[in-house]
Amino acid sequence: MTFRRSTLALAILGLLENGPLHPYGIQRLIKQWGKDQVVNVGQRTSLYRMIVRLEEAGLITAGATEQDERYPERTVYHLTDEGREICREWLAEILTTPRNEFPEFPAGLSFVMLVPPETAGELLGQRRERLTKRIAELQLELRSEVNGQPVPRFALLETEYQVAVAVAEAKWIDSVLHDLRTGTLTWTPGPV
Amino acid sequence: MTFRRSTLALAILGLLENGPLHPYGIQRLIKQWGKDQVVNVGQRTSLYRMIVRLEEAGLITAGATEQDERYPERTVYHLTDEGREICREWLAEILTTPRNEFPEFPAGLSFVMLVPPETAGELLGQRRERLTKRIAELQLELRSEVNGQPVPRFALLETEYQVAVAVAEAKWIDSVLHDLRTGTLTWTPGPV
DNA sequence: TGCGATCTAGTTACATTGCAACTAGTTTCT
DNA sequence: AGAAACTAGTTGCAATGTAACTAGATCGCA
């Protein structure tokens, strides 16, 4: 029985390496450590459901239930040896193997000829502006501090990566915008 | 009633701008025009299901059923005016608005400190090799021809984009590999 | 000429995810 | 005191992903 890999499952296993924790604690950690930037937690729904499935699969186990006066019982979950192992396997797979996850933007680009070149220019211009903001936000995060100490680089690699990719996208869009303006790149709109 | 946006739905609507077509024809077009590189069609299942839902939503309509001797009836689908409109709306949204789709790689990076730096270097080294291959493949596609004629640039934008992003990723990984080797970047493995 | 392999065209079933809404207690604001 | 907002968790359905199954057509080749 192989458990389907997902960023959420990875995050739960990864965070439990820190020590046992209850579901809400996991949720808070994800936010506090900014993992919500790279892991889709949207509704809490997915988190609770994933925890149940991970337990059924034996990758985590319910331990003692903490009893804080003013909260309902909180089941604390532990990472099992199998969980720890699977987590390493997933990490290796993810880090070594580029995988097409079909983002929207390239799909959109592949139908850009349906609109006239001028419209395409306007749309991509807007994207370019938003990208600029996004890049600024990410770069701010790179300089973030905890207790007056800068966050060590190894804890910011994912943000570095996102900056690198966003900057590349911005540059590419700039070149396309340029070629649209000069007319080097053009087409007559309509079906392919 | 708003129809949930997806690259598959976009592709179907986009391809039907060419003229009415039956489901299998759509599937073939997706492959022939390389849209399967940017649109997830995996099993045919999703395609057939999506066509049904698009019809229910009135974005496409079933027209005459073609009768070729040796094939079962084939219902031909047309784009409706609403379908055409929605397709433009989606295009505008997709092209203007960067959106986090939570790819695996950054999520993996954010837990890289669980493995020792040397292991991380090996894993990323493998990724780097595969990226090189992928970039070569994409660049080959950029030079592809149809009937001895080079494919016009506007039909290759999504591939150009993918190259730009892949190259940026490769460069970033190179810099990380360098810093791992020189020891500029390091950590002691284990929980955060 | 026949037989297995592969391609075409589609369906069925189940696991997983995404999204919205609902409960019910707690704190904060005014 | 009452409204608004936060905490912590549940329920339910729509959509997607993935695998497997059917059933006819065609191809390789012995």
Side-chain angles (χ1 to χ4, degrees), chain A residues 4 24 44-45 48-49 71 73-74:
Chain A
R4 191 128 102 204
Y24 183 59
R44 278 169 302 301
T45 322
Y48 291 111
R49 257 187 314 211
Y71 291 109
E73 291 191 83
R74 284 170 155 175

Side-chain angles (χ1 to χ4, degrees), chain B residues 67-103:
Chain B
Q67 200 37 295
D68 191 327
E69 312 259 325
R70 63 176 168 286
Y71 292 110
E73 292 190 83
R74 285 171 154 174
T75 310
V76 170
Y77 290 92
H78 299 252
L79 196 54
T80 65
D81 289 341
E82 206 191 331
R84 204 181 319 272
E85 203 188 321
I86 294 278
C87 180
R88 304 308 150 109
E89 275 172 34
W90 285 350
L91 261 184
E93 264 291 304
I94 291 173
L95 293 178
T96 56
T97 314
R99 182 182 145 193
N100 191 349
E101 294 173 68
F102 303 98

Side-chain angles (χ1 to χ4, degrees), chain B residues 12-80:
Chain B
I12 295 172
L13 297 180
L15 289 176
L16 286 184
E17 298 261 4
N18 271 310
L21 206 55
H22 52 91
Y24 183 58
I26 296 176
Q27 194 210 320
R28 262 184 334 195
L29 263 198
I30 290 180
K31 290 226 160 159
Q32 265 175 43
W33 295 358
K35 303 296 183 200
D36 58 334
Q37 297 296 308
V38 285
V39 168
N40 194 355
V41 233
Q43 254 55 28
R44 277 169 302 300
T45 322
S46 6
L47 179 66
Y48 291 112
R49 256 186 320 208
M50 186 60 80
I51 289 175
V52 169
R53 291 206 313 115
L54 286 170
E55 194 194 358
E56 283 167 5
L59 305 186
I60 62 179
T61 48
T65 67
E66 230 174 55
Q67 200 37 295
D68 191 327
E69 312 259 325
R70 63 176 168 286
Y71 292 110
E73 292 190 83
R74 285 171 154 174
T75 310
V76 170
Y77 290 92
H78 299 252
L79 196 54
T80 65

Side-chain angles (χ1 to χ4, degrees), chain A residues 135-168:
Chain A
I135 292 171
E137 283 166 22
L138 288 170
Q139 279 170 337
L140 198 66
E141 225 186 290
L142 284 182
R143 274 180 246 103
S144 66
E145 306 196 339
V146 175
N147 313 332
Q149 293 294 309
V151 174
R153 182 171 171 210
F154 68 77
L156 289 170
L157 288 176
E158 72 276 17
T159 310
E160 266 191 22
Y161 168 81
Q162 287 174 310
V163 170
V165 167
V167 166

